[in-house]
Amino acid sequence: MTDTDTGRSILRRLRDHIGVVGLGYLVVCAVLLAWALVVTIGDSSDESMAGVIPLLATAPASFVLLVLPDNIVMAVIAITLGAAVNTAIIGWCTRALRRGGGSD
C-alpha cells in the first residue's frame, strides 16, 4: 500500500485498481450468487438449476468446481474465485486501455 492509498476508502481504492467496469462486474456476480442461494435454499425438491447462472457468469475460472467435492460451500468458493480472477483480468484490461498503446 502506498502513501496515497492510506487516506482513501476501500471502495475508492478498488475503483482505482479494477475500474468501474470491474466493480460493476463484481456487483452483478454478487447479486447472481445471492439470488441463486435464495432460490436453491427455498426449493425443497433439490432440482434447482439456479446455481448454473452465477457459475456461467464467472466462467472459465469457476469451472474448477468440476473437480471439487459436490457441496454448496465449494460452489460458493468456485464462483467467488471465478469472479475474483475475471475482475482482475477486467481491471488489467481497463488499465491497459486507459494507458493507451498509441505508437504515434
Side-chain angles (χ1 to χ4, degrees), residues 21 89-102:
V21 177
I89 293 169
I90 290 169
W92 176 75
C93 291
T94 302
R95 285 190 307 276
L97 288 172
R98 271 193 221 143
R99 274 194 310 265

Side-chain angles (χ1 to χ4, degrees), residues 2-81:
T2 64
D3 290 334
T4 59
D5 284 345
T6 56
R8 295 187 289 176
S9 70
I10 292 173
L11 187 61
R12 174 74 178 176
R13 283 185 272 167
L14 267 175
R15 194 188 78 184
D16 288 345
H17 290 291
I18 61 175
V20 175
V21 177
L23 278 177
Y25 175 76
L26 273 179
V27 168
V28 167
C29 289
V31 168
L32 285 175
L33 181 59
W35 169 78
L37 288 173
V38 167
V39 169
T40 302
I41 290 170
D43 186 17
S44 61
S45 67
D46 287 338
E47 296 177 359
S48 176
M49 294 293 291
V52 173
I53 302 299
L55 187 71
L56 290 176
T58 57
S62 63
F63 286 151
V64 73
L65 177 66
L66 299 176
V67 297
L68 293 174
D70 188 24
N71 188 335
I72 188 77
V73 174
M74 292 300 163
V76 170
I77 289 171
I79 291 168
T80 304
L81 175 71

